[in-house]
Amino acid sequence: MLESATTEHERTEEVLEIYKLLVEMADRVSQRRQSANSFYLTVNTAIIGATAYVARDTDGANTWAISLAGVAICILWIRAVLSYKSLNSAKFKVITELEGRLPVAAFKDEWEFLQGANGKRHTPFHKTEVLVPFVFISVHSAQFASTLPWQAIWEAGKLALC
């Protein structure tokens, strides 16, 4: 009897150590995610500044190129946010499943509390986080559009209709 209790205690200790490791790994992914967001935010801010600087001295082609690069960076940013989201979702699924073998299920309980009775108590971070690149896409697009030769486009459109 004592031998099986010790073995069960040892298994619980092993599960607890794996649990601690998984929680630490999930935290590291979140830290990398924040670093990536800071990187993309910095790059986009620099691109907007560069576009504004270049736009005052050139005919627009450089502005178009830089703005399009900004949009491409934003698309990569969105993909990174979604990738980190799926990675963390998988980690938290494993963590909550592992909690079934422990006396306390802190992550599962926390998530149930955040969901509330109607499931609307908490908005996941990625839903807000993914909006930031779209704001930058709008700014890059506006900078791109501001350098288009609108008068020439209007005139060409009128000629095409005649």
Side-chain angles (χ1 to χ4, degrees), residues 5-46:
T6 303
T7 305
E8 187 175 319
H9 177 73
E10 288 173 352
R11 286 187 190 140
T12 301
E13 287 296 318
E14 288 173 355
V15 170
L16 184 59
E17 288 304 313
I18 293 169
Y19 178 81
K20 288 178 184 177
L21 179 63
L22 288 172
V23 170
E24 177 64 28
M25 288 171 54
D27 186 54
R28 287 182 189 165
V29 168
S30 294
Q31 289 173 3
R32 286 195 316 259
R33 180 178 180 166
Q34 289 303 326
S35 295
N37 284 335
S38 294
F39 167 77
Y40 284 113
L41 184 65
T42 302
V43 168
N44 273 283
T45 303

Side-chain angles (χ1 to χ4, degrees), residues 85-141:
K85 177 204 174 284
S86 66
L87 182 59
N88 261 352
S89 293
K91 287 195 180 308
F92 286 119
K93 183 173 180 177
V94 172
I95 288 169
T96 55
E97 286 180 12
L98 199 58
E99 284 179 336
R101 298 168 66 184
L102 295 171
V104 176
F107 276 99
K108 180 179 167 280
D109 292 345
E110 178 182 23
W111 186 247
E112 287 174 0
F113 174 77
L114 288 172
Q115 290 302 302
N118 60 5
K120 296 184 179 182
R121 183 178 285 173
H122 171 70
T123 301
F125 182 63
H126 77 275
K127 288 187 177 183
T128 305
E129 178 184 30
V130 80
L131 295 176
V132 178
F134 285 108
V135 171
F136 278 105
I137 286 173
S138 298
V139 174
H140 294 308
S141 298

Side-chain angles (χ1 to χ4, degrees), residues 74-87:
C74 288
I75 291 167
L76 293 173
W77 189 358
I78 292 166
R79 289 182 54 105
V81 167
L82 296 176
S83 177
Y84 279 118
K85 177 204 174 284
S86 66
L87 182 59

